[in-house]
Amino acid sequence: MSLLSVLTLLAVAGGPVSDPALTGTGWTLRTLVPDGVTRLDLAPDGPSAPTLRVAPGGQVSGHTGCNLLSGTATLEGSRVQLGRLGVTRRACPGVAGTVETAYLRVLSQVVRYRVQGQTLTLYARGAQRLVFQANGAAPLPPAVQPPAAPSTALRPAQLAGEWQVQAVTLGTQTSRVPGEAALTLTPDGTTTGLRLSGRAGGCNAMNGQAELRGDVLHFSGVATTRMLCPDMAAENALYRLLGTPLRAEVQAGPGGDTLVWTGSLGRVTLKRR
C-alpha cells in the first residue's frame, strides 16, 4: 500500500487561531467525502476513525486512524489553511491505510470550515469535505448529518446515443469546444456497461468503457489518438475529467435532452443530437 508518510505544505503566515468553537474540543471524523461524490461514514469509536485537535495557538494534532498527525493552522474569518502537516511512519494495511491516505489528501486541500453545534465541517476543493463530531458528544441524529447526494438509478439505455459536447469545465476554467466535438455512448450488453467513442475536442478520436453505478459513471481504458491539434484544451480537460467518477444527470427540455456529468474536478455538458 502506498503510504503518505510525510506531507509538507508551505507555511502560512498569520495570527493565532482564536475561535473557541473550533479550539475548545477535540474532533473525531464521522464522514469523509474524498472526491466530491463518494461518501464514507465512519464509526466514531472505530479503529479507523481519524481525529483532529486545533490548539488556540494554531498547533494541529491528531491521529489518522493509524499514524500520529501534527501541523499548524491559520484562520481568517471562515477560511482556514493547514500547513507543515506530517505523520509518523507506521505502515497501515487494509481499510486503515485507505482512510489515512484519503484523509491526509483532503486535509491538505482544506480552505474553509464551519462549526455548527457539535459538528465541524472542513471544506476542500472540488466538493471534498471532512465532517467531524466533537469528542464526548452524543451521536448525531440523522437529521443533522450531512445529507448524501441524491442518487437516481439510471440505466445505460437512458445515456445511450450521440451527444454534442457543449462545455467542458476543469476547475474554474471553461474551455472553448469546437463544433465537431461529440461523444457516443453505446450499451455493451451488460446491465451497467457502456462503450465510449467520439471526438472529445473535434480533433483526436477517443474510446473507452464506462460502468454506471446508480447515477455515477466510472470510466476506464480511455484512450485517444495522438494528433497535435491547434486547440487541445477541451479534449485535454475532458480526458482528465474522465479519470474521476462523474455523476450523470439527464435534463429533458424543449430542445432535446441535456446530459450533465459532474465530478470533483469539474463538469461536462452535452446535448443529445
Side-chain angles (χ1 to χ4, degrees):
M1 184 208 76
S2 91
L3 172 66
L4 180 58
S5 59
V6 177
L7 174 63
T8 303
L9 300 176
L10 292 174
V12 180
V17 175
S18 59
D19 185 350
L22 174 64
T23 62
T25 186
W27 304 94
T28 298
L29 188 66
R30 291 294 304 273
T31 301
L32 169 63
V33 183
D35 56 10
V37 177
T38 307
R39 169 175 167 158
L40 177 63
D41 291 315
L42 302 173
D45 300 320
S48 298
T51 63
L52 187 72
R53 180 180 290 274
V54 182
Q59 297 82 14
V60 172
S61 60
H63 203 269
T64 68
C66 180
N67 281 285
L68 296 176
L69 166 71
S70 64
T72 60
T74 302
L75 268 63
E76 183 179 348
S78 64
R79 299 186 63 81
V80 60
Q81 282 190 287
L82 303 177
R84 299 182 181 275
L85 293 177
V87 296
T88 52
R89 300 187 179 185
R90 176 185 173 190
C92 309
V95 174
T98 301
V99 171
E100 177 185 75
T101 299
Y103 178 53
L104 289 173
R105 180 171 53 78
V106 178
L107 201 62
S108 71
Q109 300 178 51
V110 165
V111 294
R112 185 168 59 90
Y113 81 100
R114 182 181 68 170
V115 178
Q116 189 174 29
Q118 302 293 301
T119 303
L120 164 67
T121 305
L122 298 180
Y123 299 92
R125 297 188 293 270
Q128 301 173 99
R129 64 184 182 275
L130 303 167
V131 183
F132 298 82
Q133 181 181 3
N135 292 344
L140 297 174
V144 297
Q145 292 281 7
S151 178
T152 304
L154 292 174
R155 300 185 306 277
Q158 293 174 266
L159 305 183
E162 187 177 7
W163 299 88
Q164 179 76 39
V165 182
Q166 293 193 312
V168 180
T169 300
L170 183 63
T172 59
Q173 182 67 41
T174 298
S175 301
R176 186 188 71 84
V177 179
E180 302 83 4
L183 297 174
T184 298
L185 293 171
T186 308
D188 66 2
T190 67
T191 57
T192 60
L194 290 154
R195 288 188 294 271
L196 170 72
S197 61
R199 295 188 181 275
C203 179
N204 282 291
M206 173 179 286
N207 62 78
Q209 297 289 127
E211 182 184 0
L212 183 61
R213 305 175 194 169
D215 63 350
V216 178
L217 284 164
H218 296 260
F219 291 89
S220 61
V222 177
T224 69
T225 53
R226 298 185 179 182
M227 290 192 300
L228 184 62
C229 310
D231 185 356
M232 301 183 66
E235 65 181 74
N236 288 339
L238 180 58
Y239 188 78
R240 285 193 61 189
L241 290 171
L242 294 182
T244 66
L246 295 172
R247 188 175 302 280
E249 181 184 1
V250 179
Q251 303 170 351
D257 290 344
T258 298
L259 175 60
V260 180
W261 297 340
T262 306
S264 60
L265 299 181
R267 61 191 283 137
V268 184
T269 304
L270 309 102
K271 189 78 171 180
R272 190 184 293 278
R273 281 187 161 183

